[in-house]
């Protein structure tokens, strides 16, 4: 039986946090045993906002190591770096030329990031979702596991594939591109900031205390949780729109302790914050410990990491080259004689 194809990626910008893990990477690990999985470190996306050239390579390697530390197995999954596969940039260009400007201008993430950049918004930032569409469409992906925040980008990728490529350049029985579906698992899809339960945990929040990085030391995790914003009410509960911080912290406890929502809600129904926070801190430290240990081993073995990435690049290249050749030909380009 042909397994369905999965593709996803994370940018190598700043330290990966609980949101990246619970919203995305954790789900990849589950999928890799019964799907054909491709996971890339999207370094071309990382330069859509000003970046430090002295850090890009190191951050790319460290993100790849974190994928593996979180349980991505290179024997089951293709792990690679986006910029190592030229077809991403090429397909992005081809898609750019058929994507209406107003489709990208209305992307929420673009508007949010553009505000932060002030006068310094690059064309690349506007183009970010088209590059992401190229990432996905190159691999004929059936499913794209991401957090809730990426849903709009996924819809754009679907629209480009369906309306702008297949409808114009393909036929019903021979579509040029596979139209992907998002896979957004409810639990963990939106991990919120520790300092504001109404905004998502993000790498770009200037306040370090707003997020727990996967490589934070146990004492730092405990300190951040101790300082996390709460509300004056006793007892923790789900589904009270007046208490977004409670929703977030109890939700994290449910996942990180492995107890699930119902058991966590029952356990904490009468609990005060003074008792709850150390419990949550312990659950977080315990959940992250095996990832941190494995990461330290991996990052010391550069040769092995490089081998994984070279192998991943070759496998990714084979699939991506075939797709981009198909698109070139359907758009009518002169093939190399
Ligand atoms: P990024 O950090 O923007 O490169 O995001 C990488 C992946 O993590 C994407 O699938 C996001 O949807 C997911 N993600 C990022 N932040 C969060 C969050 N706060 N909650 C859940 N998922 C997230
Ligand atoms: N835009 C995604 C994010 O910030 C990262 C990304 C780039 C991605 N290309 C992708 C995710 C392809 C899934 C598939 O989270």
């Amino acid at each position: 039986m042909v397994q369905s194809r999965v593709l996803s990626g994370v940018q190598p910008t700043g330290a990966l946090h609980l949101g990246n893990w619970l919203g995305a990477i954790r789900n990849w690990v589950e999928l890799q045993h019964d799907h054909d999985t491709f996971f890339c470190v999207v370094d071309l996306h990382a330069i859509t906002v000003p970046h430090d050239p002295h850090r890009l390579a190191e951050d790319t390697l460290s993100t790849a190591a974190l994928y593996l530390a979180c349980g991505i197995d290179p024997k089951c999954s293709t792990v690679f770096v986006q910029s190592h596969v030229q077809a991403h940039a090429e397909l992005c260009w081809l898609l750019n030329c058929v994507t209406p400007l107003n489709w990208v201008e209305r992307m929420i993430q673009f508007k949010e990031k553009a505000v932060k950049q002030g006068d310094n918004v690059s064309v690349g930032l506007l183009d970010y979702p088209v590059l992401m569409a190229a990432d996905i469409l190159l691999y004929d992906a059936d499913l794209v596991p991401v957090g809730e925040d990426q849903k709009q980008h996924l819809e754009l990728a679907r629209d480009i594939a369906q309306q702008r490529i297949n409808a114009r350049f393909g036929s019903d029985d021979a579509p040029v591109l596979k139209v992907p579906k998002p896979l957004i698992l409810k639990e963990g899809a939106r991990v919120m900031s520790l300092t504001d339960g109404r905004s998502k945990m993000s790498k770009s929040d200037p306040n370090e205390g707003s997020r727990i990085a996967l490589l934070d030391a146990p004492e730092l995790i405990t300190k951040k949780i101790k300082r996390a914003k709460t509300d004056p009410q006793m007892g923790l509960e789900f589904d009270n729109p007046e208490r977004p911080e409670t929703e977030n912290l109890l939700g994290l406890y449910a996942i990180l302790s492995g107890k699930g929502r119902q058991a966590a809600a029952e356990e904490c129904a009468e609990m005060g914050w003074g008792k709850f926070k150390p419990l949550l801190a312990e659950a977080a430290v315990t959940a992250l410990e095996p990832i941190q240990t494995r990461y330290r081993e991996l990052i010391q073995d550069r040769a092995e990491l490089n081998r994984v990435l070279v192998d991943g690049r070759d496998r990714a290249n084979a699939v991506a080259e075939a797709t981009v050749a198909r698109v070139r030909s359907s758009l009518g380009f002169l093939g190399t004689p």
Side-chain angles (χ1 to χ4, degrees):
M1 202 184 84
V2 185
Q3 291 184 330
S4 57
R5 181 75 60 71
V6 167
L7 177 124
S8 197
V10 172
Q11 299 182 71
T13 41
L16 299 199
H17 52 68
L18 277 183
N20 298 130
W21 183 41
L22 301 178
I25 302 173
R26 187 183 55 135
N27 306 323
W28 305 355
V29 176
E30 306 278 311
L31 289 163
Q32 67 183 339
H33 301 292
D34 42 14
H35 295 76
D36 183 15
T37 42
F38 285 73
F39 300 117
C40 62
V41 180
V42 290
D43 55 347
L44 296 171
H45 279 102
I47 66 162
T48 55
V49 294
H51 80 288
D52 179 354
H54 303 296
R55 296 215 42 168
L56 184 59
E58 198 56 33
D59 286 349
T60 300
L61 205 59
S62 131
T63 303
L66 264 177
Y67 286 5
L68 305 183
C70 287
I72 300 298
D73 177 355
K75 288 197 200 74
C76 310
S77 299
T78 301
V79 177
F80 66 104
V81 175
Q82 184 189 33
S83 69
H84 292 175
V85 178
Q86 318 286 280
H88 291 252
E90 183 178 354
L91 184 62
C92 178
W93 177 255
L94 301 178
L95 300 181
N96 274 337
C97 297
V98 297
T99 303
L101 183 59
N102 66 8
W103 286 14
V104 284
E105 281 173 333
R106 58 163 205 254
M107 293 292 116
I108 296 163
Q109 199 168 78
F110 169 69
K111 290 194 231 170
E112 284 173 359
K113 289 191 182 175
V115 172
K116 289 190 198 144
Q117 301 300 321
D119 286 338
N120 200 13
V121 178
S122 68
V123 175
L125 188 65
L126 181 66
D127 205 27
Y128 179 114
V130 182
L131 178 60
M132 177 165 163
D135 299 343
I136 297 164
L137 299 173
L138 272 179
Y139 298 92
D140 291 328
D142 299 281
L143 290 174
V144 185
V146 283
E148 186 78 37
D149 61 330
Q150 296 301 310
K151 205 168 162 195
Q152 195 186 31
H153 289 163
L154 251 301
E155 274 155 20
L156 183 84
R158 288 170 55 84
D159 290 346
I160 294 175
Q162 209 154 27
Q163 299 173 33
R164 295 285 154 160
I165 297 286
N166 291 348
R168 291 183 175 183
F169 304 103
S171 57
D172 284 348
D173 46 332
V176 185
L177 293 170
K178 170 79 129 295
V179 181
K181 288 200 182 74
L183 179 70
I184 299 171
L185 299 186
K186 239 179 139 200
E187 202 182 52
R190 229 170 125 72
V191 175
M192 309 310 278
S193 155
L194 296 183
T195 47
D196 174 6
R198 293 185 202 274
S199 66
K200 71 165 187 170
M201 184 175 284
S202 149
K203 290 173 187 156
S204 59
D205 191 320
N207 181 358
E208 285 266 351
S210 68
R211 60 184 165 266
I212 292 175
L214 299 185
L215 298 176
D216 277 348
E219 309 77 58
L220 186 58
I221 295 176
T222 307
K223 190 165 109 190
K224 285 178 176 175
I225 290 178
K226 201 167 171 187
R227 295 198 179 152
K229 185 175 174 201
T230 55
D231 54 36
Q233 215 168 308
M234 268 289 279
L236 279 77
E237 60 184 337
F238 282 122
D239 302 322
N240 181 342
E242 307 285 298
R243 307 183 70 194
E245 284 79 22
T246 307
E247 177 79 29
N248 189 41
L249 297 178
L250 186 57
L252 284 177
Y253 180 64
I255 305 179
L256 295 171
S257 67
K259 291 181 176 167
R261 283 171 73 90
Q262 197 178 342
E266 281 164 21
E267 181 186 352
C268 308
E270 314 281 318
M271 215 178 263
W273 291 105
K275 183 151 179 227
F276 173 75
K277 281 186 162 180
L279 271 184
L280 173 59
E282 195 194 312
V285 168
T286 309
L288 292 178
E289 196 210 38
I291 295 179
Q292 300 187 347
T293 305
R294 181 90 183 96
Y295 176 83
R296 277 184 233 111
E297 292 163 9
L298 285 160
I299 205 70
Q300 275 165 22
D301 191 352
R302 295 291 162 118
E304 169 63 10
L305 263 181
N306 287 336
R307 204 190 51 71
V308 168
L309 294 179
V310 168
D311 186 43
R313 178 201 64 195
D314 292 344
R315 274 148 61 180
N317 240 326
V319 180
E321 276 303 325
T323 309
V324 81
R326 212 162 67 220
V327 178
R328 261 189 237 125
S329 139
S330 69
L331 263 52
F333 281 92
L334 173 65
T336 39

